[in-house]
Amino acid sequence: MHIQESFTKTRVVVPYTGTVADQAETRRRATPRRHTCLAHLDPQLRVTSAGPDFYQQFGRNAAATCGRSIYDLLHPSTPSVIGRHFALLTEHRSTHFAERVIGLNRGNRFSGELTGVAVRAAHELTGIVVMLQPDSAPEETGAEEQTPGRKPLLSLTDALVLEGVARGVSTAQLATRLHLSRQGIEYHVGQMLRQLKAPNRVALVARAYSLGILTLTHWPPRVLPEFVK
């Protein structure tokens, strides 16, 4: 009897959490919203116009952005990632795409999602609308982590040595092919190790690929001409 009375007299208080819609709205407000940066490209992938947020995200003004290729605003490895998407748009084999990219803001990097939508008139591609949703604002990075961009970094001999190292060619073989001594090859390798801040040859090749110095879709590996002095 006493047990039954205790159950009947006990009240369980359940806190009110609102309707499902209320809870969804609470979660929406608590989740940081990513802003969308909008720009228009011509069929040659050059920026023709953009919104203020787009210019600000890349640390540029309209004069420094319009007329430039979209690739100039992104990490050097980008063409290998989204180049195929743009090709499908221009070949009328796709209407849109969404891909992760790395953007550049005054040498600093930021990640985000880039969406491209084809604009056509009379079945002809007249342009592409791109919408960028950055994950966050660009963060300051140390000098050792900054992306050098597409500026000359290597001498012609450095480039030939780097291509050989990436192919797995030995020091002796490289010396014979390039008409240098083994010490000469080691000198150029050591110079690039210091320049790209890599501890060994394996890291040197990986670093070169990550910076876009070596092409990702070509074998044997090739250094892009714009990185050669």
Side-chain angles (χ1 to χ4, degrees):
M1 176 63 70
H2 295 293
I3 296 177
Q4 184 176 0
E5 289 180 354
S6 65
F7 270 98
T8 57
K9 294 180 180 180
T10 301
R11 293 190 303 169
V12 178
V13 180
V14 179
Y16 174 74
T17 58
T19 65
V20 173
D22 292 335
Q23 296 178 41
E25 178 65 15
T26 301
R27 288 194 299 269
R28 186 189 67 80
R29 292 180 177 181
T31 302
R33 296 181 63 186
R34 295 191 300 171
H35 67 283
T36 300
C37 309
L38 185 70
H40 296 262
L41 312 181
D42 63 17
Q44 287 72 45
L45 307 184
R46 295 173 299 205
V47 179
T48 57
S49 63
D53 287 348
F54 188 88
Y55 300 130
Q56 183 178 6
Q57 184 65 38
F58 291 97
R60 295 168 174 258
N61 56 28
T65 306
C66 292
R68 303 290 297 272
S69 169
I70 186 67
Y71 291 138
D72 293 337
L73 308 178
L74 303 173
H75 190 272
S77 64
T78 298
S80 65
V81 178
I82 66 171
R84 183 58 180 165
H85 290 303
F86 281 124
L88 292 175
L89 293 183
T90 58
E91 294 168 3
H92 298 262
R93 297 170 59 189
S94 177
T95 59
H96 64 280
F97 71 85
E99 185 63 76
R100 300 286 301 171
V101 296
I102 297 176
L104 301 177
N105 181 320
R106 302 181 184 277
N108 298 317
R109 291 173 286 184
F110 64 89
S111 60
E113 182 175 84
L114 184 72
T115 301
V117 180
V119 179
R120 294 188 172 91
H123 304 293
E124 292 294 328
L125 182 70
T126 59
I128 299 172
V129 175
V130 293
M131 292 164 282
L132 174 68
Q133 280 193 318
D135 297 329
S136 61
E139 297 181 357
E140 294 293 329
T141 57
E144 71 278 3
E145 291 300 326
Q146 291 187 4
T147 301
R150 292 174 178 268
K151 64 180 181 180
L153 293 174
L154 309 174
S155 68
L156 178 58
T157 302
D158 288 335
L160 293 174
V161 171
L162 179 57
E163 290 173 352
V165 172
R167 289 197 304 269
V169 180
S170 67
T171 298
Q173 290 173 320
L174 276 176
T176 301
R177 294 180 185 181
L178 301 180
H179 305 289
L180 295 171
S181 65
R182 297 184 61 170
Q183 290 76 14
I185 297 296
E186 294 296 344
Y187 168 78
H188 286 283
V189 171
Q191 191 174 37
M192 287 186 287
L193 290 174
R194 291 188 295 274
Q195 190 172 13
L196 299 185
K197 296 179 175 59
N200 51 51
R201 292 190 179 203
V202 174
L204 174 64
V205 173
R207 182 75 167 149
Y209 273 118
S210 71
L211 296 175
I213 297 173
L214 287 169
T215 56
L216 292 172
T217 58
H218 191 282
W219 185 265
R222 292 290 178 83
V223 172
L224 291 174
E226 49 264 50
F227 288 100
V228 181
K229 298 176 184 178

